[in-house]
Amino acid sequence: MNVSDADGLAIGVFSASAPVYLLHPEHGGSGCAPGTYVVRRQREHEGRRARLVAD
């Protein structure tokens, strides 16, 4: 499935029919209730410039 958003940060979508946990080696787990979610990249702003976060 192709995903896009106005900011160009969307990289995926997932649907959960029960509670689920997203695991990240540096940030631990994040719980998500049932529903549909868009996964987006993170960006940092430095003055007028913005850059994508490479985690």
Side-chain angles (χ1 to χ4, degrees):
M1 170 188 289
N2 290 331
V3 180
S4 65
D5 64 352
D7 295 320
L9 299 175
I11 58 173
V13 173
F14 72 93
S15 293
S17 58
V20 297
Y21 291 89
L22 302 178
L23 302 177
H24 188 282
E26 296 174 3
H27 306 294
S30 297
C32 297
T36 300
Y37 297 85
V38 176
V39 179
R40 296 168 40 118
R41 298 279 315 260
Q42 184 179 3
R43 71 177 162 203
E44 294 178 341
H45 294 273
E46 298 173 359
R48 295 182 149 209
R49 301 188 73 169
R51 66 181 180 89
L52 295 176
V53 174
D55 219 0

